Amino acid sequence: VHIEPIADHPELIPALARWHLAEWGHKSPARTQATAERRLRGHLRTDGIPLTLVALEDGRPLGSAALVCQDMRTRPELTPWLADVVVDPGLRRRGIGSLLVRSTLAKARELGVARLYLYTPDQERLYARFGFEVLERTEYRGESVVIMRAAP
Ligand SMILES: CC(C)(COP(=O)(O)OP(=O)(O)OC[C@H]1O[C@@H](n2cnc3c(N)ncnc32)[C@H](O)[C@@H]1OP(=O)(O)O)[C@@H](O)C(=O)NCCC(=O)NCCS
């Protein structure tokens, strides 16, 4: 399994956008396949934020994760964020999500990020394994979430 920037694989944008819609479309009803693809086309860089990393095996995408400047409109003062971590539903619990988190942290470190944030409704344990600490528990878009922070 390789981790590469989506900048090197723009042809994978439609597949990643489908995952994003399937996981989070209900939270952002305005989001469509087209808007999800447009968001990802804004991630075609390797040396700055926003960017997306993709896990690949034999050219096939297994999952992806992003670094973005803003992810929570109620917390504009916090930046940047680890966001959009997703693994193909048929390939979960094999370590691919962990590999993506580790790789995104390494990329953040490379970019000089001192503090990285995320929020999650249900994956606190996964992120805690990588040094993310709970900053706050709050409600966001109708669900209980935890905001976490790590020094990459
Ligand atoms: C969250 C998500 C990205 C995790 O991806 P993943 O590839 O399943 O992650 P991992 O395999 O690294 O870890 C998941 C679990 O599998 C376990 N695991 C990892 N490798 C394993 C293996 N070889 N055999 C059995 N279990 C394994 C991990 O210990 C972990 O367990 P725990 O967190 O319940 O303690 C994935 O479930 C997903 O896409 N969910 C939907 C989108 C989402 O919720 N994203 C996060 C938003 S904050």
Side-chain angles (χ1 to χ4, degrees), residues 38-77:
R38 194 177 319 129
R39 174 174 158 106
L40 281 160
R41 282 197 300 274
H43 288 208
L44 297 177
R45 64 174 61 73
T46 59
D47 58 351
I49 298 173
L51 63 76
T52 287
L53 300 180
V54 57
L56 292 153
E57 189 171 47
D58 300 329
R60 169 189 176 211
L62 312 178
S64 66
L67 288 174
V68 301
C69 296
Q70 298 294 342
D71 200 33
M72 227 178 159
R73 64 182 145 51
T74 51
R75 290 294 184 283
E77 72 281 12

Side-chain angles (χ1 to χ4, degrees), residues 120-128 146 148:
T120 179
D122 56 3
Q123 298 295 331
E124 179 177 337
R125 188 162 64 168
L126 171 70
Y127 296 119
V146 55
M148 304 182 82

Side-chain angles (χ1 to χ4, degrees), residues 7 19-20 23 27 36 43 46-47 49 51 53 55 59 80-82 110 114 117 120 127 129 135 142 148 151:
W19 286 338
H20 291 174
E23 295 298 340
K27 290 283 161 202
H43 288 208
T46 59
D47 58 351
I49 298 173
L51 63 76
L53 300 180
W81 297 72
L82 170 59
E110 184 188 315
Y117 299 88
T120 179
Y127 296 119
R129 282 202 291 272
L135 197 61
M148 304 182 82

Side-chain angles (χ1 to χ4, degrees), residues 23 85-87 92-95 97-98 120 125 127 129:
E23 295 298 340
V85 183
V86 64
V87 170
R92 292 175 187 171
R93 302 192 67 84
R94 299 179 187 190
S98 297
T120 179
R125 188 162 64 168
Y127 296 119
R129 282 202 291 272

Side-chain angles (χ1 to χ4, degrees), residues 17 29 48 57 66 70 78 81 91 101-102 104 114 120-121 128 131 135 140 152:
E57 189 171 47
Q70 298 294 342
L78 305 182
W81 297 72
L91 301 173
V101 172
R102 220 166 26 244
T104 314
T120 179
L135 197 61
Y140 189 58

